[in-house]
Each structure stands twice: as C-alpha cells, then as structure tokens.
Amino acid sequence: MNIQASTWDKQYAQGAWDVLKSPLEEKRFESVRSFIYKYATGGNILEVGCGEGLLQSGMDKQRYATFTGIDISTVAITRTAYLQDTQNTYLLADMETWQPTGDRFDMIIFNESLYYASYPIQLMHRYFSFLKPGGAIILSVYETPPNKRLLDAIDKHYHATEEKITVNERGRWYCRIYLSEK
C-alpha cells in the first residue's frame, strides 16, 4: 500500500496532517515517549515516517543521544528545519528502501507508519537488523480492522514486551514495544 511521495507532499501542503498537532494526540505521543525513556535513555533513535518531527519536538533532548527521522515527504522534512542540529537529523527517504549509513540504533519507532508499507511484517523484520543488540522497536498503530489484523499477524512473529492503549474521541491506538535479542 505504498503511497507515492507526491501524494504525501500534497497532503502535508494542504494541511491534511495538521490533525496530528491536536492536543488529543498528546497522550499517544506520550505513550511512545515513555517507552523511549524507559528502554533507550541515552540512546540513538530512528523514527520511520517522522512527518514534521512532532514526536521529537516534544522530547527531552537530555534523554537521548541522537535522533534521526526519515520521511518520504519533502514538505514534511522541510518543516523539520527548526528541529535540526547536531543531535537531531531529518532525512528525505522512502522507508521501504532506506539503508542506514552509520551505527545501528538503540530504538526504532514506527509511529503510525508501518501500515503504509507494501509488506509491513517484512519491513519490520528488515528494520530489526538496524538495531544494536538489545535494541527495541516501538509500534504505534491506530485501530481499524485491517490494522488489528496486522497487529495479530505481527504477534505471530514477535512478542510485545509491553503495550499501552490510548483512547480519545477519535478512536483507539495501540503502542507496543518489541525488544531485539541481546
């Protein structure tokens, strides 16, 4: 279900994703951040499908070493310019083909992005290889029938160490953490 970059650019330019800036989203973002702080304090973090950098913009910079965000939308990455510094890097990249060039990561986050992949379980498996031993992947997934089926399929391959469910007037989100082997 890979959506082309031009579609994402158009959606960001038209404000379709401004809803993510709503206070209703903060509980979900805090669920993801709490897992980062618990499992990767001081670590190197990758967010796949980072959009405009909303997750990182609310993070305590003292609690991680580096943050890298990748997204397919030029518009979204351009909007991260104010966040970029020696600690925080945002790159224009397609999650399905991107390869890291440096060290492996302590944590990789798919915050509402994995289900846009053509083959989400295979993509998750590939990204596990980008983790340091003992690293972790965080998934945040909005509840829809197809996404519940995806989570059930992931459960056949990986065991979630912990889960937080966030609910608001828009729906329900599952935030899960999967640890790699040491």
Side-chain angles (χ1 to χ4, degrees):
M1 182 174 147
N2 188 2
I3 299 175
Q4 297 299 317
S6 61
T7 301
W8 287 106
D9 284 341
K10 183 177 178 181
Q11 289 175 356
Y12 273 105
Q14 293 176 343
W17 294 106
D18 288 351
V19 67
L20 297 176
K21 298 173 187 173
S22 161
L24 290 173
E25 297 292 321
E26 193 52 34
K27 282 175 88 178
R28 180 176 60 79
F29 281 123
E30 280 306 313
S31 291
V32 175
R33 289 181 193 119
S34 71
F35 282 155
I36 294 168
Y37 299 155
K38 182 175 180 179
Y39 292 95
T41 292
N44 296 319
I45 298 164
L46 170 67
E47 184 181 10
V48 181
C50 64
E52 298 177 58
L54 298 176
L55 175 70
Q56 183 269 318
S57 70
M59 289 176 60
D60 178 352
K61 292 174 82 170
Q62 304 301 313
R63 306 214 36 200
Y64 62 93
T66 65
F67 187 99
T68 303
I70 64 169
D71 201 281
I72 197 168
S73 169
T74 302
V75 173
I77 292 299
T78 299
R79 291 180 182 174
T80 67
Y82 76 101
L83 295 168
Q84 297 197 45
D85 57 26
T86 57
Q87 186 180 13
N88 301 292
T89 305
Y90 288 87
L91 306 170
L92 182 64
D94 183 334
M95 70 178 171
E96 299 205 55
T97 57
W98 184 75
Q99 287 287 130
T101 56
D103 291 337
R104 292 200 264 167
F105 298 93
D106 297 289
M107 179 161 288
I108 297 173
I109 304 155
F110 290 94
N111 188 12
E112 306 305 313
S113 59
L114 184 66
Y115 44 78
Y116 290 107
S118 299
Y119 301 99
I121 295 172
Q122 292 87 335
L123 187 74
M124 187 173 165
H125 181 70
R126 187 167 73 84
Y127 274 79
F128 262 109
S129 72
F130 302 160
L131 287 171
K132 294 177 182 175
I137 287 182
I138 295 176
L139 292 183
S140 176
V141 175
Y142 179 68
E143 183 181 69
T144 64
N147 290 350
K148 275 296 279 169
R149 287 191 295 276
L150 173 60
L151 286 173
D152 291 343
I154 289 169
D155 287 345
K156 292 177 182 174
H157 299 273
Y158 302 102
H159 170 73
T161 302
E162 200 172 334
E163 176 181 73
K164 294 182 181 189
I165 298 172
T166 310
V167 179
N168 67 33
E169 61 195 48
R170 288 195 204 126
R172 175 188 311 257
W173 288 262
Y174 298 88
C175 184
R176 295 179 177 176
I177 187 155
Y178 300 86
L179 302 180
S180 71
E181 300 194 10
K182 294 184 179 190

